[in-house]
Amino acid sequence: TYIKRLTIAGFKSFGKKTSIPFYPGFTAIVGENGTGKSNILDAITFVMGYRSRALRAGKIEHLLYTSPKGETVPEAEVSLVLDNSSGTFDELLPSHTDEVMISRRITASSSTYRIMGKVTAAGDVEKLLSLADIEPGGYYIVEQGMVTEVLERSPRRRRELIEEVA
Amino acid sequence: TYIKRLTIAGFKSFGKKTSIPFYPGFTAIVGENGTGKSNILDAITFVMGYRSRALRAGKIEHLLYTSPKGETVPEAEVSLVLDNSSGTFDELLPSHTDEVMISRRITASSSTYRIMGKVTAAGDVEKLLSLADIEPGGYYIVEQGMVTEVLERSPRRRRELIEEVA
Amino acid sequence: KKEKFLATLKAVSVELDRRFKQLFGGGEAKLSLEAPGDLSSGLLIQARPPGKEPKLLDALSGGEKTLVAIAFVLALSEGKPAPFYLFDEVDAALDKPNSERLAGLLREIAREAQVIVISHNEELIRHADRVYGVTMRNGSSRVLALELVGNAH
Amino acid sequence: KKEKFLATLKAVSVELDRRFKQLFGGGEAKLSLEAPGDLSSGLLIQARPPGKEPKLLDALSGGEKTLVAIAFVLALSEGKPAPFYLFDEVDAALDKPNSERLAGLLREIAREAQVIVISHNEELIRHADRVYGVTMRNGSSRVLALELVGNAH
Ligand SMILES: Nc1ncnc2c1ncn2[C@@H]1O[C@H](COP(=O)(O)OP(=O)(O)OP(=O)(O)O)[C@@H](O)[C@H]1O
Ligand SMILES: Nc1ncnc2c1ncn2[C@@H]1O[C@H](COP(=O)(O)OP(=O)(O)OP(=O)(O)O)[C@@H](O)[C@H]1O
Ligand SMILES: [Mg+2]
Ligand SMILES: [Mg+2]
């Protein structure tokens, strides 16, 4: 599988609905400091189930876009389209489709997940993603400033990485 | 005061005696990864009294130069010449000189400090440096990867910084 | 279960060494258990850059540690292949020659798995197949697809 | 003692704001006590980049955090002037425009105090008065004085 499209609306610095197509191969994301590059990565781990604490935000409200005038939007939504052409996710889908879409919508007090547009529990998203060995804390996602963290862990915590991929 | 010269022999990656003149103004140190740039900074904080743990070395032996063939030198010495043209250090010197030299020599089992070539206690070096508000952990020394550490401290630990400079 | 763990450890260690050599242009790296007989003991990472003595990880430089960490992350795919790689400024501590080597390695990996990298580093960006630019207008982020001029490949 | 602390806090806060505006080209920053009446309470740092809402420090980007931290370190000299500055790759997270602004600020500081910076960043290096190059030969570090070609100033 791979990421085919990411759509962000009202999440962090994305006040305007933004839809980004992704392709296999090597993609670079560039831009000046503070423009929202890491927020794109946060949007991906958010829709996969990460808690707000791990997204550099104290409370869930901090994930809702706030304008320079201080107006906060009532809700935010991120949706992620993953390739399913080889049927990786078919086991947990009613029928085969070439793409699978998961999305997550939050307000100041609620958080709702959907698979193919249908409301579902967070656990179901987790199970679906695990069919492709995808999880928000996966070794293949390296957040800003964290590249050498894997070396700084204790030997016991490092060994857990081998267990995870065994 | 300012740093006038740093001489390194046998310390970390400096197998050959190296003497670097420094001047007031803006100096840049460049070089590929792993060539020894941060070791120059470590040499400066070492001669000011830093323990080996703070110098990315477990034991004092790890500060002694080891060649690619595995031969470790018996001792290392770093000396630092500071400007004293305005008499900053005169209070603790027998007589005025335009420069003050502090040095530190280590073997696998010993560590000796000198001021102007005379053996002295670590505490005397500390006292001399404090006349110019110099200490190895000073706010004006930022080690690699630590630039945002001052923001990540707790509010109580940040407050200590204001106390230190008050 | 035990055989699976040991087989994975061995495969990841071999791959770590291969990626290490690619990134450093030589030297070697390997994984081992703190207490070889005890399967539940911690994991040791040993690395020796070319032309140097084997060192504790702590004594390596900032850039050298970055390269070892990246080699290790890429080697973990020997256990479970990664669906994609999302790297946010992993190249911050690298000099130009190492950035070039990393870019080459990422181009190779990108033939098998999707690689998405956030970077300020020209050396990396010019090797990408596609580049997105992020800007901020009136306090809100915008994304544009950028045309690469005179692309590296 | 109490007056000294409060006076220093105020002076450092004013200087933080000044350095912040220089680095960000606008916006504002200030220091305050968690509990204003209680002198022993913790220190809060508030920062608002230009064109944005005031944010928790955590919500700032990597580059923005770097700039706030550097502004804070430089501001501490209002308490006790620094004898010299030794900065090891503080610019690792910065983009080109911010590196330029930082280089300009360091040139200004270097008129009063000695500034020694380790960096891989062209934008910073070309503003230096003097450049030393470090290389490794047979596993041992060597230092050479480099001639700056077409220096920035
Ligand atoms: N809820 C929110 N509403 C509006 N803006 C937000 C929100 N949360 C974060 N931001 C803004 O997003 C910006 C940070 O974006 P991000 O961390 O993605 O930057 P970046 O492009 O990765 O920059 P760098 O190159 O410095 O790492 C901050 O300036 C912050 O003000
Ligand atoms: N006791 C020692 N004997 C020989 N070499 C040593 C010793 N201690 C450290 N080194 C070597 O010094 C090198 C690290 O140097 P340093 O951290 O100064 O690099 P750097 O120039 O700052 O690189 P970077 O740009 O990656 O930060 C390591 O490769 C390490 O092998
Ligand atoms: Mg970022
Ligand atoms: Mg370094």
Side-chain angles (χ1 to χ4, degrees):
Chain A
T1 182
Y2 65 91
I3 296 172
K4 290 191 91 168
R5 180 174 291 278
L6 176 72
T7 307
I8 313 172
F11 177 81
K12 286 199 142 191
S13 58
F14 288 86
K16 293 237 172 318
K17 185 167 174 165
T18 307
S19 187
I20 313 169
F22 286 105
Y23 304 90
F26 186 177
T27 301
I29 298 176
V30 304
E32 292 186 8
N33 291 133
T35 48
K37 299 183 298 294
S38 297
N39 289 344
I40 292 173
L41 195 75
D42 286 347
I44 294 173
T45 53
F46 164 78
V47 75
M48 291 180 183
Y50 247 2
R51 310 233 159 281
S52 49
R53 171 149 312 292
L55 296 163
R56 298 181 289 156
K59 304 200 274 317
I60 210 160
E61 290 93 310
H62 293 140
L63 296 176
L64 299 171
Y65 173 72
T66 308
S67 76
K69 293 196 195 63
E71 296 143 14
T72 302
V73 295
E75 67 171 35
E77 180 160 1
V78 176
S79 66
L80 186 67
V81 176
L82 295 169
D83 172 65
N84 185 40
S85 54
S86 58
T88 317
F89 301 106
D90 284 357
E91 194 179 314
L92 290 177
L93 292 176
S95 64
H96 175 75
T97 55
D98 273 352
E99 298 182 352
V100 167
M101 185 166 93
I102 57 174
S103 53
R104 185 177 175 190
R105 184 183 297 170
I106 55 166
T107 65
S109 53
S110 71
S111 166
T112 328
Y113 289 86
R114 288 161 207 269
I115 294 176
M116 307 301 274
K118 286 203 191 61
V119 176
T120 169
D124 291 343
V125 169
E126 218 175 299
K127 279 205 208 92
L128 184 76
L129 291 174
S130 73
L131 291 175
D133 291 329
I134 296 176
E135 46 158 331
Y139 70 83
Y140 40 84
I141 300 176
V142 180
E143 293 173 19
Q144 189 168 6
M146 300 293 283
V147 64
T148 56
E149 184 270 332
V150 71
L151 301 184
E152 277 138 23
R153 295 188 189 188
S154 72
R156 211 154 267 298
R157 290 233 336 101
R158 271 190 228 142
R159 168 218 150 66
E160 286 167 13
L161 282 166
I162 303 289
E163 284 168 348
E164 273 172 33
V165 297
Chain B
T1 183
Y2 64 92
I3 297 173
K4 291 191 88 168
R5 181 173 288 277
L6 177 72
T7 307
I8 313 172
F11 177 81
K12 286 200 145 192
S13 57
F14 288 86
K16 291 241 173 323
K17 183 166 175 160
T18 307
S19 188
I20 313 169
F22 286 106
Y23 304 89
F26 186 177
T27 301
I29 298 176
V30 303
E32 293 184 6
N33 290 135
T35 49
K37 301 184 297 295
S38 297
N39 289 343
I40 292 173
L41 196 74
D42 286 346
I44 294 173
T45 52
F46 163 78
V47 74
M48 289 180 190
Y50 248 6
R51 309 235 160 280
S52 51
R53 171 152 313 293
L55 297 162
R56 299 179 290 155
K59 299 198 273 319
I60 212 160
E61 291 96 306
H62 293 141
L63 297 175
L64 298 171
Y65 173 73
T66 310
S67 77
K69 298 196 187 60
E71 297 142 14
T72 302
V73 293
E75 67 172 32
E77 180 160 358
V78 175
S79 67
L80 185 69
V81 175
L82 296 168
D83 171 65
N84 186 40
S85 54
S86 59
T88 316
F89 301 106
D90 284 354
E91 199 180 311
L92 289 176
L93 291 177
S95 63
H96 174 75
T97 54
D98 274 354
E99 297 181 351
V100 167
M101 186 166 96
I102 57 172
S103 54
R104 187 177 172 190
R105 184 182 296 174
I106 56 165
T107 66
S109 54
S110 72
S111 166
T112 326
Y113 291 85
R114 286 165 211 267
I115 295 177
M116 306 303 272
K118 289 203 189 53
V119 176
T120 168
D124 290 341
V125 169
E126 213 175 302
K127 275 202 212 89
L128 185 75
L129 293 174
S130 72
L131 291 174
D133 292 327
I134 296 176
E135 44 155 340
Y139 69 85
Y140 41 83
I141 299 177
V142 180
E143 292 173 22
Q144 191 168 6
M146 300 293 283
V147 65
T148 56
E149 183 271 332
V150 71
L151 301 185
E152 278 138 24
R153 295 187 187 193
S154 72
R156 207 158 275 296
R157 291 243 323 108
R158 265 189 234 149
R159 180 216 139 71
E160 286 168 13
L161 280 166
I162 303 292
E163 283 169 356
E164 273 172 33
V165 298
Chain C
K1 181 122 181 69
K2 274 205 187 120
E3 293 79 54
K4 185 103 182 86
F5 176 81
L6 279 176
T8 304
L9 180 61
K10 180 107 193 80
V12 174
S13 182
V14 167
E15 181 68 3
L16 168 68
D17 187 58
R18 191 169 83 87
R19 294 302 187 199
F20 184 91
K21 288 180 167 51
Q22 276 180 296
L23 285 171
F24 279 85
E28 67 212 356
K30 71 169 193 271
L31 300 176
S32 57
L33 290 174
E34 274 182 316
D38 175 8
L39 281 190
S40 68
S41 62
L43 187 72
L44 285 180
I45 301 177
Q46 290 163 306
R48 189 180 65 73
K52 295 187 176 174
E53 255 268 288
K55 283 274 169 311
L56 293 177
L57 284 183
D58 272 353
L60 293 179
S61 82
E64 290 171 332
K65 269 191 196 153
T66 289
L67 293 180
V68 174
I70 292 173
F72 182 59
V73 165
L74 296 176
L76 288 170
S77 66
E78 283 304 291
K80 266 187 198 154
F84 45 75
Y85 290 98
L86 301 177
F87 289 161
D88 192 349
E89 303 202 21
V90 296
D91 55 349
L94 299 183
D95 59 28
K96 272 199 177 39
N98 280 326
S99 300
E100 275 292 340
R101 271 195 280 270
L102 174 61
L105 184 57
L106 292 178
R107 281 199 56 67
E108 182 197 314
I109 306 273
R111 285 191 221 118
E112 310 281 333
Q114 183 180 42
V115 173
I116 301 172
V117 163
I118 296 171
S119 175
H120 294 295
N121 188 339
E122 277 308 302
E123 311 301 321
L124 235 69
I125 296 163
R126 62 194 187 77
H127 283 267
D129 301 319
R130 216 174 307 278
V131 180
Y132 288 111
V134 186
T135 61
M136 187 66 100
R137 213 166 312 139
N138 306 331
S140 176
S141 296
R142 315 261 172 157
V143 178
L144 322 146
L146 298 181
E147 257 321 291
L148 264 187
V149 180
N151 211 334
H153 49 93
Chain D
K1 184 118 178 70
K2 271 195 185 153
E3 294 75 54
K4 189 98 181 80
F5 175 80
L6 280 176
T8 306
L9 178 62
K10 179 108 193 81
V12 175
S13 181
V14 167
E15 181 68 5
L16 168 67
D17 187 60
R18 193 168 82 85
R19 294 303 187 198
F20 184 91
K21 288 180 173 29
Q22 277 180 296
L23 285 171
F24 279 84
E28 69 219 355
K30 73 167 191 288
L31 300 176
S32 59
L33 290 174
E34 278 184 312
D38 175 9
L39 282 190
S40 66
S41 63
L43 187 72
L44 288 181
I45 301 177
Q46 292 161 313
R48 188 183 66 71
K52 297 188 176 179
E53 257 267 288
K55 285 267 165 312
L56 294 177
L57 284 183
D58 272 351
L60 293 178
S61 81
E64 291 171 335
K65 267 191 202 154
T66 289
L67 292 180
V68 173
I70 291 173
F72 182 58
V73 165
L74 295 177
L76 288 170
S77 67
E78 281 305 292
K80 264 186 203 151
F84 45 75
Y85 290 98
L86 301 177
F87 288 162
D88 192 350
E89 302 201 22
V90 296
D91 55 344
L94 299 183
D95 59 25
K96 273 205 179 43
N98 281 329
S99 301
E100 273 297 333
R101 269 196 284 270
L102 175 61
L105 185 57
L106 292 177
R107 280 202 56 69
E108 182 198 314
I109 307 267
R111 283 192 220 118
E112 309 283 333
Q114 184 180 42
V115 174
I116 301 171
V117 163
I118 295 171
S119 175
H120 293 293
N121 188 342
E122 273 311 301
E123 310 303 322
L124 236 72
I125 297 163
R126 65 192 184 80
H127 282 268
D129 301 317
R130 222 173 302 282
V131 179
Y132 287 112
V134 186
T135 60
M136 188 66 94
R137 213 170 309 141
N138 307 328
S140 176
S141 296
R142 308 284 169 106
V143 179
L144 320 148
L146 300 182
E147 259 318 293
L148 267 186
V149 181
N151 210 339
H153 51 88

